[in-house]
Amino acid sequence: MAELTYREAVAAGIAQEMERDELVVFLGEDVAAAGGVFKSTVGLLERFGPKRVRDCPISEQAIIGAAMGAAMTGLKPIAEIMFSDFLAVCWDMVANEIAKTRYMTNGQIQLPLVIRTANGAGSRFGAQHSQAVENWAMAVPGLKVVAPSTPADVKGLVAAAVRDPDPVIVFEQKSLYAVKGEVPDGEHVDVLGKAKVLREGKDCTVVALALMVPRALEAAAILEKEHGISCTVVDVRSLVPLDTQTILAEVAKTGRLVTVEENPRLCGWGAEIASIVADECFWSLDGPIVRITTPHVPLPSADQLEDATIPSVARIVREIREKMD
Amino acid sequence: MAELTYREAVAAGIAQEMERDELVVFLGEDVAAAGGVFKSTVGLLERFGPKRVRDCPISEQAIIGAAMGAAMTGLKPIAEIMFSDFLAVCWDMVANEIAKTRYMTNGQIQLPLVIRTANGAGSRFGAQHSQAVENWAMAVPGLKVVAPSTPADVKGLVAAAVRDPDPVIVFEQKSLYAVKGEVPDGEHVDVLGKAKVLREGKDCTVVALALMVPRALEAAAILEKEHGISCTVVDVRSLVPLDTQTILAEVAKTGRLVTVEENPRLCGWGAEIASIVADECFWSLDGPIVRITTPHVPLPSADQLEDATIPSVARIVREIREKMD
Amino acid sequence: MDAKAKGKKAGAADDIGRETRLELYRLQVELRHCEKRAHDLFLQNLVKGTSHLSLGQEAIAAAFGVAMRPDDWTFCTYRGHAHTLARGASMSGVLGELMGRECGLLGGKGGSMHLTDVSKGAMGSYAIIGAHLPVAAGAAWSAQYRGTEQVAVCFFGDGTTNIGAFHEALNFAAVWKLPVVYVCENNLYMEYTPIASVTAVEKPAADRAAAYGLESVVVDGNDADEVYRTAVKYMERARKGGGPALIEAVTYRHSGHSRADPAKYRPEGELEKWLERDPLKIYRARLLKLGVAEATLKDIEDESMRKVDEATAIAKASPPPALEAIEKNVWADGGAAWRN
Amino acid sequence: MDAKAKGKKAGAADDIGRETRLELYRLQVELRHCEKRAHDLFLQNLVKGTSHLSLGQEAIAAAFGVAMRPDDWTFCTYRGHAHTLARGASMSGVLGELMGRECGLLGGKGGSMHLTDVSKGAMGSYAIIGAHLPVAAGAAWSAQYRGTEQVAVCFFGDGTTNIGAFHEALNFAAVWKLPVVYVCENNLYMEYTPIASVTAVEKPAADRAAAYGLESVVVDGNDADEVYRTAVKYMERARKGGGPALIEAVTYRHSGHSRADPAKYRPEGELEKWLERDPLKIYRARLLKLGVAEATLKDIEDESMRKVDEATAIAKASPPPALEAIEKNVWADGGAAWRN
Ligand SMILES: Cc1ncc(C[n+]2csc(CCOP(=O)(O)OP(=O)(O)O)c2C)c(N)n1
Ligand SMILES: Cc1ncc(C[n+]2csc(CCOP(=O)(O)OP(=O)(O)O)c2C)c(N)n1
Ligand SMILES: [Mg+2]
Ligand SMILES: [Mg+2]
């Protein structure tokens, strides 16, 4: 096992797949010569050359459209959208073209492509560069969606996304890029659609994603130690496909569900999970379902404001305590 | 009371507000000389002239951007996006610019504008012209969102949207344009953020929107008559602001919640409502929360397929019966 | 607009052989008959959704259809019946799709605006303005990457030149020197609005070519020979690494924008003027002048009508799609599961 | 690229009075000092988010700042400190916003990329490439509609010319003859990528002007007088109903793209060459040559430094915003409620 940062693990995942398969190509803005604005693709140009690793104009529609056209004719493109907020600029390509084409053509066109993007808050960049928008993608039929929380997961899920025959969007969390973690040596490929149970508890099942996972774990430790509340923590990892078996099973065991979401409140992924649990797991529930989310506001930029807006460890602890009373 | 079609009521709502306030202007593609592809703006050009009613190039970003620039400098624009699917083409303008600008500028910039768009299925137009995407808009902080189900409501809510100082998106349902209904004579202005209880029942509260409202009502009549199940039916009407008071009160009375949504399953507005109810109304619930939605697929175009994809009266009846047993 | 941007006539010298010319005629006739049939079927309420006919614009689809290599790729719009047929897609598949039948090219799941036949290189019809221009660039990139000398051809309308994706795709294709030929069919209108009233230049595509370092090319879109020569020229150049082209073919649609449109917005006499310049009329006269026998043409026409009748019968006999299709083919595994 | 598209030098004859020239110098100096201070504050870890400096590009913001009427509107990008200050926005408000303080122009809610001061006509800084070009057109529409003779001026970079919104806005503004002046500051790079490597034409804005029926205008963006003359000319034309303009001002940024960027991608000697053409250096020399006393310039410089020091002190003394701000000002009622 080597210790890598999350950003290094992204590059390692891409490199592993480009090494394996010549049809894998990578494109985006400032990704090649500069190695990406988050330095998550450093070294790829040097290793795979300018034919396979390409810098693009500021043309997100062209980038994603080109990835789509290349994918339907035999390549396996990985396209980077620098900040996930910019998905809005090419949302038609993502939500109306890529997501629907296989279905509309009754399976004639296959789109083995990956869109990677830096998602979420923590960098004081303000409301146009900091949103968590994984729920936008989850809402669109025809897209697979993952949001890894560790270096090992990001490497393995990027690799799995490249190998998957369907379009996959990988949401990388900006605030996790500098985080270090063990990554398995050699080829590492994960599986789409599997949640991970990171901690087992008796009182409450906490379901979290991406940056909220380490926070949920920390909160669970505090709740256990200081308040005697014992929490299961599930890392959802993949929003589509969604591992409802794991989630339902873990909620059934504790009788309570708390979601911890970075996305703003309305129509967040937690709402979907809550609605599934409230239907299929209703009779096992011992109390209300609780959602802890970013409030339904655009994100403020000042450091104190931003920190106080997205769910913090302290807020998770406080809300779970209050609701478990 | 005059009887108007839903499409006539749209034009009547716009005309009422343009008559009242010279600062109200209207722009879109094929909206002026042609009166709109759904004929929902017939007569406006003749009545208010080419300075106030303007045909635009196929440039959705320019149309919505221009509405934004005009709104921040004193006009009150109404912009049409022909099909709601095309919101994806200008999603950056809607979700990143219009929704966030007031917040980011700490209230300096005000955006009194309306975006109207034809939403939803029923016309056999295929997956790129038939989606129900009201949940896309609901998920974005800073947007108000309404989806009227009757001619009276569409007139009154369009008028309310024009008068509201914030950006409002009006989702008009394509399949309702030809529907007739009574519309109050004279000035008619509704209120944003109010749900309507259309029918009171004892066993179950059915919450629906737009095209699903008449279907829910019809289903409720059948359930009552043929199966002895008595349903409350609530027309949500406004997703943001959301009238949670009415919804929670009605669910508390019956102990059951069923949402009927045209949007595809994942992260639909019904998920949000389900999560609110599962938290705040948990102890009043007598059974699982049920969501009846379009399955999570792009829409097929053939008539039989399309009809079988979105929730039908028969399916609503069947699912409620099964779940109420 | 200044004169220099007005473009030049492309291709003129090289001759076109008799066989090619007959093929060009055959294809135009077939597209015409099939579109007319689509219209009839609509009047019989057998076409359920919308439909956008190419009546009057057949020369363009036909000329490219004849000029393209079988492994080249076509990308077109909702107004794509002709372009799809011109690549050799099954006519019953096209009519069946319009009618929402199981035999449709897309099994009834896509509809008239999304005709696709990958086996013939018809890589899809796109119904949101502009979106397929970047997609075509991507296909061209894939050909370039793999060195296959395939060319992507992308058809769109005059109205499409005002949307952002047009601009992004053209610049992208030019910078990467991609083997893609963009063909703007300027039929003077977007839906119901005259293109001149919403466009800053006179020739919506050609006057913008220079913005991408490309030549300004305008052709008579109602003259199949002229379109054919231009197609050959720029496709060959693209094939050999010469990069993209942007061709503006001026034409006119005889019917309304879509089945819902009676086209009342046209100035009086405009349609009549263009009917004089009907591509089939022009081409038939030319063939006769070139010495082709009337009987040869008549045979082509009759044969084409038989083909249309046959396709219609097959489509009419085809059942509606099974309801199971609804939850099929979202994913490559054939299904639609979003959860375990 | 062909010669005809290369554009012509705009404005040259008319003279600029001494007072205006001193004002142009004063403003350039002030923008320079303030940007340098922003950089210092960043090194002291007092600027919390990102920041994009205009060092080296001050002549453009200053020239327009002087040329604009107080009720004209500015739309700019994340690289907008200079443009906002040039309209007269409070310097402590700008620095305070960069530092995330309560005294910031946006109360700390927007950050360095969104500087806005509506009271001065600074209608926002937009951080997603291209978005503000249509918005500026909309403001111009509002001026045209109400007959106020206001002009909207919209600044953006070379990289922005390749995104769809650029194209849509320019066509829209041209067709509606809107009073908006688009100013492309061509500083040769997008973030870290040379613009030439991703753009099909040499002059990313000017070579596209013809695509919107507009004149090709290229100016030396490091010469405040040249920019000023051009600004006056096209703003006046727009004010009188002559429609939009697209001006390409060639310039260079002395620092990296943003605070995170050491700008190692530049070829050796490039920065040095451009430092020779530093707009302040050029302008100072010109004023001396025109007979302005060294002491007058020195006074301006000292006064500007005092102003920056004062603004810094105010910003540093300002507290962080109260946490209640988080749920304020989503809606016009001042709140953030999405439910009752
Ligand atoms: C983004 C988008 N905006 C609007 C439409 C609605 N629409 C469909 S066809 C059309 C006109 C297109 O005109 P043109 O490009 O000239 O093609 P033509 O129909 O004339 O072949 C419009 C506006 C659309 N499909 N997509
Ligand atoms: C749609 C979009 N894509 C990418 C970015 C990231 N980005 C920020 S600045 C920038 C470069 C812009 O270059 P240019 O327009 O030349 O302006 P400059 O920074 O040189 O002033 C990029 C790519 C963005 N903000 N928005
Ligand atoms: Mg057209
Ligand atoms: Mg630049």
Side-chain angles (χ1 to χ4, degrees), chain A residues 72-89:
Chain A
M72 68 169 70
T73 53
L75 300 190
K76 295 174 185 163
I78 307 172
E80 173 174 313
I81 294 296
M82 199 184 280
F83 288 75
S84 62
D85 316 66
F86 309 164
L87 284 169
V89 171

Side-chain angles (χ1 to χ4, degrees), chain B residues 29-30 58 60 82-83 86 89 129, chain C residues 52 57 77-79 127-130 156-161 163 185 187 189-191 195 253 257:
Chain B
E29 292 163 18
D30 304 296
I58 310 178
E60 279 79 4
M82 198 184 281
F83 289 74
F86 309 165
V89 171
H129 283 69
Chain C
H52 304 77
Q57 307 186 195
T77 71
Y78 50 88
R79 195 182 304 290
I128 300 192
I129 295 295
F156 54 93
D158 44 284
T160 304
T161 64
I163 202 159
E185 302 187 37
N187 63 7
Y189 291 88
M190 37 186 277
E191 295 207 352
I195 190 67
R253 58 169 155 74
H257 166 74

Side-chain angles (χ1 to χ4, degrees), chain C:
Chain C
M1 202 210 40
D2 56 12
K4 65 181 185 260
K6 282 215 179 141
K8 57 170 209 212
K9 283 242 176 182
D14 52 22
D15 207 1
I16 299 172
R18 179 190 149 98
E19 286 315 304
T20 303
R21 279 220 163 85
L22 288 179
E23 179 59 14
L24 282 167
Y25 186 63
R26 193 194 60 72
L27 205 43
Q28 289 183 83
V29 168
E30 196 170 301
L31 302 181
R32 170 69 50 94
H33 286 161
C34 188
E35 287 290 56
K36 282 191 159 166
R37 179 58 47 88
H39 185 65
D40 292 345
L41 291 168
F42 153 56
L43 293 178
Q44 294 162 41
N45 206 21
L46 286 168
V47 170
K48 293 299 173 52
T50 182
S51 81
H52 304 77
L53 306 179
S54 285
L55 289 172
Q57 307 186 195
E58 296 92 342
I60 301 165
F64 272 91
V66 174
M68 287 171 82
R69 228 165 68 171
D71 62 345
D72 289 336
W73 293 306
T74 297
F75 293 84
C76 60
T77 71
Y78 50 88
R79 195 182 304 290
H81 313 168
H83 307 81
T84 306
L85 287 167
R87 296 307 308 282
S90 138
M91 197 180 281
S92 59
V94 167
L95 292 176
E97 191 60 35
L98 267 59
M99 295 161 71
R101 303 299 170 99
E102 197 170 78
C103 79
L105 284 183
L106 317 170
K109 287 174 74 171
S112 80
M113 298 206 278
H114 299 290
L115 299 176
T116 303
D117 186 345
V118 168
S119 72
K120 305 289 184 188
M123 304 302 285
S125 304
Y126 298 77
I128 300 192
I129 295 295
H132 62 310
L133 278 74
V135 181
W141 173 34
S142 153
Q144 182 191 61
Y145 183 86
R146 291 175 295 125
T148 59
E149 298 201 345
Q150 288 162 286
V151 171
V153 178
C154 181
F155 300 93
F156 54 93
D158 44 284
T160 304
T161 64
N162 291 328
I163 202 159
F166 165 86
H167 180 68
E168 295 193 12
L170 267 289
N171 182 64
F172 193 91
V175 173
W176 289 22
K177 279 203 153 222
L178 298 176
V180 53
V181 175
Y182 288 106
V183 184
C184 174
E185 302 187 37
N186 181 356
N187 63 7
L188 314 192
Y189 291 88
M190 37 186 277
E191 295 207 352
Y192 317 137
T193 303
I195 190 67
S197 70
V198 292
T199 311
V201 290
E202 197 189 314
K203 289 271 167 286
D207 288 347
R208 273 127 176 201
Y212 314 105
L214 302 175
E215 265 175 86
S216 169
V217 182
V218 180
V219 299
D220 179 349
N222 285 15
D223 182 335
D225 285 348
E226 193 176 327
V227 178
Y228 177 77
R229 288 192 193 96
T230 311
V232 169
K233 174 175 165 184
Y234 289 102
M235 284 173 59
E236 282 320 299
R237 191 181 75 175
R239 225 183 275 297
K240 299 298 175 225
L246 174 59
I247 296 167
E248 179 164 337
V250 182
T251 184
Y252 195 78
R253 58 169 155 74
H254 293 170
S255 49
H257 166 74
S258 67
R259 62 175 248 176
D261 171 28
K264 294 217 180 101
Y265 43 82
R266 294 166 168 179
E268 216 184 318
E270 188 179 81
L271 173 61
E272 291 65 31
K273 203 191 80 191
W274 280 93
L275 284 174
E276 287 300 303
R277 303 213 58 258
D278 182 334
L280 272 88
K281 198 163 152 181
I282 291 173
Y283 212 74
R284 196 176 205 283
R286 180 174 305 159
L287 290 181
L288 288 173
K289 210 166 143 201
L290 286 169
V292 178
E294 168 75 31
T296 310
L297 301 181
K298 193 78 182 38
D299 279 354
I300 289 176
E301 291 152 11
D302 292 347
E303 173 56 29
S304 146
M305 196 49 98
R306 263 194 301 279
K307 190 169 165 186
V308 172
D309 286 339
E310 210 178 278
T312 308
I314 296 176
K316 279 189 176 168
S318 175
L323 296 187
E324 293 74 59
I326 293 170
E327 304 222 22
K328 279 193 181 147
N329 270 326
V330 172
W331 309 124
D333 68 8
W338 53 267
R339 60 179 287 186
N340 58 9

Side-chain angles (χ1 to χ4, degrees), chain B residues 72-183:
Chain B
M72 68 169 72
T73 53
L75 300 189
K76 295 173 186 165
I78 306 172
E80 173 174 312
I81 294 297
M82 198 184 281
F83 289 74
S84 63
D85 317 66
F86 309 165
L87 283 170
V89 171
C90 52
W91 196 235
D92 177 57
M93 300 308 312
V94 177
N96 284 328
E97 313 299 337
I98 287 175
K100 295 178 180 166
T101 290
R102 168 169 247 284
Y103 189 79
M104 293 194 301
T105 63
N106 205 16
Q108 287 188 63
I109 290 179
Q110 191 126 322
L111 295 173
L113 63 85
V114 176
I115 300 172
R116 298 173 39 244
T117 189
N119 192 46
S123 307
R124 293 78 174 89
F125 285 168
Q128 293 188 335
H129 283 69
S130 309
Q131 298 170 97
V133 298
E134 62 275 5
N135 55 331
W136 292 9
M138 187 182 187
V140 176
L143 300 176
K144 294 181 177 172
V145 185
V146 298
S149 70
T150 66
D153 278 6
V154 83
K155 180 177 180 187
L157 287 171
V158 162
V162 172
R163 296 189 193 191
D164 196 85
D166 293 311
V168 183
I169 308 195
V170 181
F171 287 94
E172 300 165 8
Q173 222 288 353
K174 282 195 269 312
S175 292
L176 293 172
Y177 278 126
V179 169
K180 287 188 180 165
E182 298 287 329
V183 177

